[in-house]
């Protein structure tokens, strides 16, 4: 569907609330670009892991920061999948960045101001022509504080862990439900308590708790809000 007045749609919220599923569906319906900013933080985490700057028990933040200029990130549209995949220094890392190992490191990486500045600048450039749906933690508060529509997604941590666990098992990962729940809770804590751009609901964001909503019901609810903003 094409509307002439293109807007920016910011979708923020807790991990595993279905932000990216929702954002992809909205972008597809509107013919907008979809940007998964979590993938960018995950790709930086993969770079840090591969270069031995971070592991389970250490983080050499200074070395990572002084190597930031060696990290090139871009999205490439995959017509078969219908969305863009994350490339790190020319390599498709879309599947590698979804592992539990990366999920356990990414919130620490996302606390670093120099990394956030680099990624936020890149994200703002992607939104210059509007017609974009971007999901993350700071999109409505920091990246696009003037976004026309802001959605803030929540759901109980147990529901979120159940969904993420199923997704990982379906992808062939060897994980336990308890380890996924622990990851969800730890990330919530770090994401909401960090000093730089913590996860908070923007004043003008519409909050949606989808603990008891299906993917289709969540989409319908948000799409009503989209239409109000585009048609008005
Ligand atoms: O959406 P996700 O679970 O793939 O995000 C991974 C991590 O990246 C998340 O724990 C917090 C961080 N993140 C962030 O700090 N800011 C964003 N805009 C997106 C993600």
């Amino acid at each position: 569907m094409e509307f002439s007045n293109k807007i920016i749609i910011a979708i923020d919220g807790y991990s595993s609330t279905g932000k990216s599923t929702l954002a992809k569906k909205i972008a597809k319906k509107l013919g907008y670009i979809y940007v998964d900013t979590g993938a960018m933080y995950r790709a930086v985490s993969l770079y840090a892991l591969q270069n031995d700057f971070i592991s389970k028990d250490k983080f050499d933040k200074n070395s990572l920061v002084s190597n930031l200029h060696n990290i090139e990130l871009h999205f490439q549209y995959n017509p078969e999948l219908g969305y863009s995949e994350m490339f790190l220094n020319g390599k498709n890392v879309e599947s590698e960045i979804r592992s539990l190992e990366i999920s356990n490191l990414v919130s620490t990486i996302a606390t670093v101001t120099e990394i956030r500045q680099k990624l936020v600048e890149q994200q703002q450039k992607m939104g210059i022509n509007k017609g974009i749906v971007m999901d993350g933690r700071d999109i409505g508060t920091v990246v696009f504080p003037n976004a026309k529509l802001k959605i803030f997604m929540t759901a109980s941590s147990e529901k979120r862990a159940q969904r993420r666990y199923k997704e990982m098992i379906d992808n062939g990962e060897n994980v336990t439900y308890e380890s996924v729940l622990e990851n969800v809770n730890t990330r919530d804590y770090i994401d909401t308590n960090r000093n730089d751009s913590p996860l908070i609901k923007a004043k003008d964001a519409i909050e949606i708790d989808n603990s008891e909503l299906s993917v289709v019901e969540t989409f319908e609810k948000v799409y009503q809000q989209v239409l109000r903003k585009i048609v008005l």
Side-chain angles (χ1 to χ4, degrees):
M1 202 174 296
E2 285 282 345
F3 292 92
S4 51
N5 59 330
K6 288 186 182 290
I7 64 167
I8 292 179
I9 301 174
I11 303 184
D12 288 304
Y14 293 93
S15 61
S16 307
T17 43
K19 298 187 297 295
S20 64
T21 306
L22 171 70
K24 272 180 206 154
K25 280 171 98 62
I26 301 271
K28 195 168 173 200
K29 183 92 176 173
L30 298 172
Y32 278 19
I33 291 167
Y34 161 61
V35 178
D36 170 4
T37 62
M40 300 170 78
Y41 289 92
R42 285 172 181 271
V44 173
S45 307
L46 180 63
Y47 175 89
L49 181 68
Q50 286 170 340
N51 289 278
D52 214 17
F53 297 138
I54 196 164
S55 68
K56 217 158 61 105
D57 4 72
K58 67 142 209 212
F59 178 29
D60 182 357
K61 178 176 136 181
N62 292 339
S63 298
L64 176 58
V65 167
S66 56
N67 273 280
L68 279 184
H69 63 279
N70 291 320
I71 302 180
E72 184 275 327
L73 301 177
H74 72 267
F75 288 99
Q76 201 167 302
Y77 187 72
N78 179 333
E80 273 170 37
L81 294 173
Y83 60 86
S84 298
E85 295 177 294
M86 185 81 253
F87 281 68
L88 163 65
N89 291 335
K91 183 172 176 268
N92 185 335
V93 292
E94 188 58 36
S95 122
E96 266 173 283
I97 59 173
R98 309 288 164 191
S99 69
L100 190 56
E101 189 177 22
I102 294 296
S103 297
N104 282 330
L105 302 173
V106 63
S107 286
T108 303
I109 294 290
T111 61
V112 180
T113 295
E114 292 86 345
I115 296 173
R116 302 202 69 84
Q117 280 168 350
K118 177 181 163 108
L119 300 193
V120 167
E121 194 182 315
Q122 211 174 329
Q123 291 152 10
Q124 286 171 335
K125 282 191 189 140
M126 295 179 202
I128 276 177
N129 296 321
K130 303 199 175 161
I132 194 166
V133 186
M134 191 173 275
D135 82 43
R137 304 294 187 290
D138 58 344
I139 312 305
T141 50
V142 176
V143 182
F144 297 123
N146 296 322
K148 190 90 180 268
L149 177 63
K150 299 180 186 177
I151 303 291
F152 190 81
M153 308 271 291
T154 66
S156 74
S157 50
E158 288 76 16
K159 270 277 155 60
R160 291 186 282 133
Q162 277 165 16
R163 290 173 188 159
R164 182 53 71 102
Y165 173 68
K166 183 175 179 307
E167 205 174 277
M168 292 179 123
I169 294 292
D170 289 349
N171 284 340
E173 277 224 41
N174 185 15
V175 289
T176 61
Y177 168 75
E178 288 69 28
S179 64
V180 176
L181 178 62
E182 189 185 331
N183 173 259
V184 162
N185 286 327
T186 307
R187 281 208 285 152
D188 282 357
Y189 182 81
I190 303 178
D191 293 347
T192 49
N193 287 284
R194 66 176 175 232
N195 290 326
D196 189 347
S197 321
L199 170 64
I200 41 163
K201 177 177 167 292
K203 280 195 191 73
D204 50 348
I206 296 163
E207 183 166 340
I208 304 224
D209 181 332
N210 71 358
S211 304
E212 304 303 330
L213 298 179
S214 68
V215 170
V216 173
E217 287 166 335
T218 307
F219 171 79
E220 288 301 334
K221 219 173 165 135
V222 174
Y223 193 60
Q224 293 311 312
Q225 301 295 337
V226 171
L227 288 179
R228 286 179 59 185
K229 295 286 180 184
I230 295 183
V231 174
L232 283 182

